[in-house]
Amino acid sequence: APQAPFPAALDDCHAAWHAVLSHADRLGIDPARIVIGGYSAGAGLAACLTQRLRDEGARLPAAQLLIYPMADDRTATRRELDTPRHRVWSNRNNLFGWTSYLGQPPGDPAGPYAVAARCEDLSGLPPAWLGIGTSDLFLDESRNYAARLAASGVETTYVEVDGAIHAFDMTETAIAKAFVSSQVEFLRRYAGYPANCPRGNGAAYVTRTRDPIITNDVLTYWEGTTLPADKLSIVSTAFH
């Protein structure tokens, strides 16, 4: 995009998915242990691809890993978000990005699978991990999408990082390593990720609580299919 707007990118992802499945034996891949995922716009594509595969009755991935996903074009229509300084990806960037990807102004009627958050029925999708920082432009749409997934019966893990900006995990900070560690634990659960895989120096040890508590930790966490968006449990993290 903009040279090849929607559905070009999604069609490429769709073709790649089926190519991997058709050559799974030669590649030594277990089709039942594939997780689809991505960062930012890539996470939005992963979510849309999963929706499309479900509707086609095709094989679904074991899970979906959605790292601060670009999931809702309507965020780009919110002019009040133009003023706050969202580092790395601002709403002005967002307006250009969505216009280029869709080939039309964001907020206009869009075709099926163009925008993940526009999908009305999220039931029957594979388990999802979704993580975002509270200073990320995509915070509201990520919270809403995670809550809708859970309300639709999708096993959902949601991780929110206090004060983190878009792409904060590209650094070698302790909190970035904890964020990635949460993803590794998710992959281990749904894709049989090797238990002896090195976890680096920032492993997060998760202590889940039934009810919200107040701590000084910066990771906010909930998982399941029944927790409402305003009931968030806090994780305790320990670094070594």
Side-chain angles (χ1 to χ4, degrees):
Q3 291 83 358
F6 176 82
L10 184 63
D11 286 345
D12 285 348
C13 293
H14 188 266
W17 170 256
H18 286 289
V20 169
L21 292 182
S22 64
H23 295 91
D25 288 343
R26 183 167 62 85
L27 295 171
I29 295 173
D30 181 354
R33 295 168 60 187
I34 302 175
V35 174
I36 288 179
Y39 296 84
S40 194
L45 280 169
C48 288
L49 176 60
T50 305
Q51 295 169 7
R52 178 173 168 180
L53 294 173
R54 176 204 60 184
D55 292 349
E56 291 173 345
R59 175 186 281 275
L60 291 174
Q64 45 187 328
L65 188 72
L66 309 178
I67 305 168
Y68 33 82
M70 188 175 175
D72 196 338
D73 63 318
R74 293 165 294 190
T75 298
T77 69
R78 296 175 56 187
R79 299 280 63 85
E80 76 275 11
L81 294 177
D82 291 349
T83 302
R85 188 180 179 187
H86 292 99
R87 294 181 180 273
V88 180
W89 190 255
S90 70
N91 208 29
R92 293 182 185 277
N93 299 140
N94 205 34
L95 177 60
F96 175 78
W98 274 115
T99 302
S100 300
Y101 177 74
L102 295 174
Q104 65 180 40
D108 284 1
Y113 319 118
V115 182
R118 297 275 199 112
C119 180
E120 295 182 358
D121 179 13
L122 300 181
S123 64
L125 294 173
W129 185 99
L130 197 157
I132 187 82
T134 60
S135 294
D136 195 309
L137 174 67
F138 299 149
L139 177 62
D140 289 347
E141 61 190 75
S142 293
R143 283 176 170 172
N144 291 337
Y145 194 68
R148 288 183 57 216
L149 283 169
S152 299
V154 177
E155 188 67 30
T156 302
T157 300
Y158 177 75
V159 175
E160 197 169 279
V161 184
D162 187 33
I165 64 173
H166 198 68
F168 76 96
D169 54 329
M170 301 302 164
T171 65
E172 289 295 319
T173 60
I175 195 59
K177 292 177 181 179
F179 187 68
V180 173
S181 180
S182 177
Q183 298 165 35
V184 171
E185 291 297 332
F186 180 82
L187 292 172
R188 189 171 286 140
R189 187 189 318 171
Y190 290 104
Y193 206 73
N196 60 350
C197 180
R199 299 173 60 175
N201 295 324
Y205 298 90
V206 179
T207 304
R208 300 182 180 89
T209 60
R210 186 167 303 218
D211 297 308
I213 58 174
I214 297 175
T215 73
N216 291 321
D217 298 318
V218 291
L219 283 182
T220 301
Y221 178 103
W222 64 255
E223 69 175 347
T225 59
T226 58
L227 293 177
D230 61 345
K231 296 294 184 183
L232 302 176
S233 297
I234 307 297
V235 299
S236 298
T237 56
F239 306 104
H240 61 82

